[in-house]
Amino acid sequence: DAGPGCSDVPGVSHLPEFHPLLWVGNRVAAAHGNFDVVVSTVVPHGKAGNAEPSLTTHAVLFKDGHGKETEAGIAFAKQCILEGAAHVEAALDSGRS
């Protein structure tokens, strides 16, 4: 149920305007880059297209309800996003990409 662009290769974009070490990507990005820390909201996929959970450092997984989330789903997603942001902040503060 991946949407458009979720499997585009290499699936990663550099965001130096936010931080010189910050990158964002789709579910295949971790397999196509050299990152110190990978924070995933979905299970990463390898170059062959198979799920490879070992490609992530921190998994903060939640379902995308495509706008039809329940109140509980919204609360859980917010919790996961904040947890992921804390992992990103810690990585960048320690000089890891």
Side-chain angles (χ1 to χ4, degrees):
D1 107 329
C6 291
S7 296
D8 288 354
V9 173
V12 62
S13 293
H14 191 203
L15 300 177
E17 295 83 12
F18 292 97
H19 193 285
L21 297 175
L22 185 59
W23 296 77
V24 64
N26 62 18
R27 69 181 184 178
V28 299
H32 295 276
N34 185 20
F35 307 104
D36 301 315
V37 175
V38 174
V39 179
S40 300
T41 60
V42 297
V43 175
H45 284 61
K47 290 182 179 180
N50 300 319
E52 290 192 35
S54 64
L55 291 173
T56 194
T57 310
H58 303 286
V60 288
L61 308 178
F62 59 94
K63 295 259 186 204
D64 183 348
H66 303 280
K68 298 178 182 174
E69 291 82 2
T70 64
E71 289 299 317
I74 291 169
F76 182 70
K78 285 181 181 179
Q79 175 186 335
C80 289
I81 291 166
L82 292 173
E83 179 183 340
H87 290 304
V88 170
E89 180 180 35
L92 296 176
D93 285 351
S94 68
R96 297 179 291 158
S97 64

